[in-house]
Amino acid sequence: MASSAANTETPQLNPVIEPLSWMLGTWLSDPPGDGTFPTMKPFQYLEEVHISHVGQPMLNFSFNAFHPDTRKPMHRECGFIRLKPDTNKVAFISAQNTGLVEVEEGEVNGQELSIASHSIARISFAKKPHVEQITRKFRLNSDGKLEQTVSMATTTQPMTQHLHITYKKVTP
């Protein structure tokens, strides 16, 4: 009997995550994203995003940022987006290469997802100032592009916009 791992057909979308189906696909930054924060000089970045599913009631994601000139890897994170069945309540679970692990929670309304940090953990030798709060907004704009805005507060700065990026879908 063949193992189920050998089955390469895309599983059917779990109906629980239908309200998030607009996020599915591979997305590339277009144009480069803008990063800013009071404690750092402004920067730009490229990012590739993969949002997929394996038939479970959640989405899988990876965000991989690169320097726009050197193409060297920068920020990376991966995780899951879960939807509480029969509600618009969403949980975003993320592990980041900076040593941060976070759970953000919020709501999906139409083609917009707004979430805020519920809990943040970090490695013992994480760089200071420490991130204390994060909010994110994803939305599918009228051009069919995915936008992400990230704001954060640290031990030294109040909640301030940190990142804004627009992605073009490259594969379904």
Side-chain angles (χ1 to χ4, degrees):
M1 190 157 133
S3 110
S4 60
N7 182 354
T8 56
E9 279 183 46
T10 304
Q12 209 166 350
L13 185 70
N14 189 298
V16 168
I17 55 172
E18 180 60 41
L20 296 170
S21 62
W22 54 272
M23 298 180 79
L24 286 165
T26 298
W27 304 82
L28 289 178
S29 50
D30 179 31
D34 290 307
T36 177
F37 205 69
T39 54
M40 56 180 74
K41 61 182 204 205
F43 63 95
Q44 288 198 311
Y45 63 104
L46 303 176
E47 192 161 52
E48 185 172 5
V49 177
H50 296 282
I51 301 176
S52 62
H53 74 93
V54 293
Q56 295 178 308
M58 69 195 71
L59 298 179
N60 309 316
F61 69 81
S62 65
F63 292 84
N64 297 304
F66 300 89
H67 190 279
D69 300 325
T70 65
R71 298 294 198 264
K72 284 190 174 166
M74 293 169 60
H75 183 90
R76 301 172 75 87
E77 63 183 287
C78 59
F80 307 94
I81 305 171
R82 298 190 58 147
L83 196 55
K84 185 176 179 183
D86 306 316
T87 74
N88 66 340
K89 303 277 183 253
V90 176
F92 180 95
I93 305 111
S94 166
Q96 303 178 23
N97 66 344
T98 54
L100 212 59
V101 177
E102 56 163 323
V103 174
E104 296 176 39
E105 293 188 1
E107 296 183 344
V108 59
N109 290 297
Q111 295 182 325
E112 185 168 292
L113 172 60
S114 298
I115 48 181
S117 52
H118 179 267
S119 59
I120 296 177
R122 68 183 54 82
I123 59 175
S124 61
F125 50 94
K127 217 164 60 170
K128 291 183 179 174
H130 290 158
V131 175
E132 294 195 317
Q133 282 184 294
I134 296 174
T135 64
R136 291 183 206 240
K137 182 173 283 186
F138 293 93
R139 76 180 195 99
L140 196 64
N141 70 22
S142 56
D143 295 331
K145 291 186 171 185
L146 183 66
E147 290 182 41
Q148 180 182 198
T149 304
V150 178
S151 298
M152 69 179 183
T154 66
T155 43
T156 62
Q157 297 294 323
M159 187 62 79
T160 306
Q161 183 173 312
H162 173 45
L163 304 170
H164 181 264
I165 192 163
T166 301
Y167 310 98
K168 182 173 68 179
K169 191 177 231 181
V170 292
T171 65

